[in-house]
Amino acid sequence: MKPSAIAWHRAESLDAAAAILQDDVSAMPLAGGQSLVVMLGLRVTAAERLVGIAHLPELVGASEEAGLLRIGAGVTHAAIEDGRIPDATDGLLAHVASGIAYRAVRNLGTIGGSLALSDPAADWPVALLALEATVVTNTRRIPISTFLQGAYATPLEPGELIRAVEIPRFAPGTRWGAAKIARKVGAFADSLCVAVHRPGVAPRIALGATARGAVLLPAGTAEAIAAADPDADAFRRRCHLASVTRTLKRMEA
Ligand SMILES: Cc1cc2nc3c(=O)[nH]c(=O)nc-3n(C[C@H](O)[C@H](O)[C@H](O)COP(=O)(O)OP(=O)(O)OC[C@H]3O[C@@H](n4cnc5c(N)ncnc54)[C@H](O)[C@@H]3O)c2cc1C
């Protein structure tokens, strides 16, 4: 199936993009297009106008200040995989990026697009939850645990665009683990887990591919895993148990 005819507008600035999206409810922002174009083709979503934002200088690049790494929403998975942004997380960001889909998708897909979509099995929401990130939009700052509201659900309002994500830099002694279970390389996860243990605070263990998307586990126990995805079938439960167990083993190694 082909998508219906759609008007195209390459935004001149983030403010201009936001103004168009605010005024026209049939318009949608387009970043890497790796999810949106597929969804339009399948007609699971509809738009009369696409507003291109991936090229905007406000969204590309990364910077570090005051112990925070700020990654522009338009930074691609490939740029993170290749280390084209500073590594403030001892390789965790590059590891997560390299496990997303395959290289052609990673070349175009963006961290902001992934967060905005909030596919329940996506990699970035889980990693950013474990990293205690902050989502910066054109109008406000939203802690990641508030931003992730469930499968495909976020608090983004019409005309609100993700500008960047901010991640607290790892202090010396910070440890991390990650494990993704998928039926084949490049596929979305059946389960994925990312854990970060910063010195002096309890580990943050995030589990993904649950019915609610990325969730924080209070502990890495079988009971906590079962409670995080209560309607999971036996296959999914075993995947969750394996991803959490592998993650914690890697973190503690
Ligand atoms: C074959 C295939 C396999 C994949 N496998 C994986 C996988 O294993 N793991 C994984 O995590 N992902 C996977 N993906 C998804 C991929 O990572 C996408 O790149 C990502 O989900 C969306 O990023 P994008 O930049 O392409 O966004 P787009 O497709 O352009 O947009 C996605 C949504 O976000 C909105 N949006 C985009 N940018 C912003 C912004 N800055 N502010 C507000 N809204 C915005 C758009 O309007 C749209 O609703 C896969 C995709 C494909 C095609």
Side-chain angles (χ1 to χ4, degrees):
M1 202 185 290
K2 289 184 180 167
S4 54
I6 299 169
W8 164 250
H9 181 89
R10 184 178 153 96
E12 292 82 36
S13 67
L14 196 67
D15 287 346
I20 294 168
L21 294 161
Q22 179 96 56
D23 289 349
D24 181 356
V25 288
S26 73
M28 291 179 85
L30 181 78
Q34 296 304 292
S35 296
L36 185 52
V37 171
V38 177
M39 291 159 66
L40 290 167
L42 293 170
R43 300 201 185 202
V44 294
T45 192
E48 288 175 17
R49 181 147 59 143
L50 292 179
V51 181
I53 56 168
H55 61 284
L56 292 173
E58 298 101 315
L59 300 187
V60 293
S63 58
E64 279 185 285
E65 57 183 89
L68 289 176
L69 171 64
R70 185 180 168 103
I71 307 174
V75 171
T76 62
H77 313 321
I80 298 171
E81 175 183 18
D82 295 349
R84 281 181 262 147
I85 63 161
D87 176 14
T89 62
D90 191 22
L92 171 55
L93 290 170
H95 174 86
V96 170
S98 69
I100 296 174
Y102 45 85
R103 185 70 191 196
V105 172
R106 299 199 290 273
N107 280 337
L108 291 171
T110 64
I111 192 166
S114 174
L115 264 186
L117 186 62
S118 277
D119 185 300
D123 293 64
W124 285 127
V126 181
L128 294 171
L129 186 58
L131 286 163
E132 211 169 359
T134 299
V135 181
V136 183
T137 77
N138 53 329
T139 56
R140 56 186 167 149
R141 302 167 59 80
I142 311 171
I144 188 73
S145 44
T146 307
F147 183 87
L148 299 173
Q149 296 189 334
Y152 304 107
T154 75
L156 290 175
E157 290 169 1
E160 187 170 14
L161 288 160
I162 301 175
R163 203 184 169 107
V165 290
E166 286 180 354
I167 297 165
R169 163 174 269 289
F170 277 7
T174 303
R175 305 174 77 90
W176 64 266
K180 176 173 178 175
I181 296 176
R183 285 165 209 238
K184 59 176 187 173
V185 175
F188 275 99
D190 291 309
S191 178
L192 74 159
C193 181
V194 176
V196 172
H197 192 180
R198 296 177 191 267
V201 285
R204 280 176 74 92
I205 309 168
L207 179 67
T210 80
R212 288 183 291 145
V215 291
L216 271 184
L217 296 181
T221 60
E223 295 72 27
I225 296 166
D229 200 6
D231 298 327
D233 61 15
F235 170 75
R236 180 82 58 172
R237 278 203 303 275
R238 278 201 299 278
C239 289
H240 285 332
L241 198 55
S243 74
V244 174
T245 306
R246 288 176 199 174
T247 295
L248 296 183
K249 220 179 244 178
R250 284 168 193 166
M251 188 172 72
E252 283 148 18

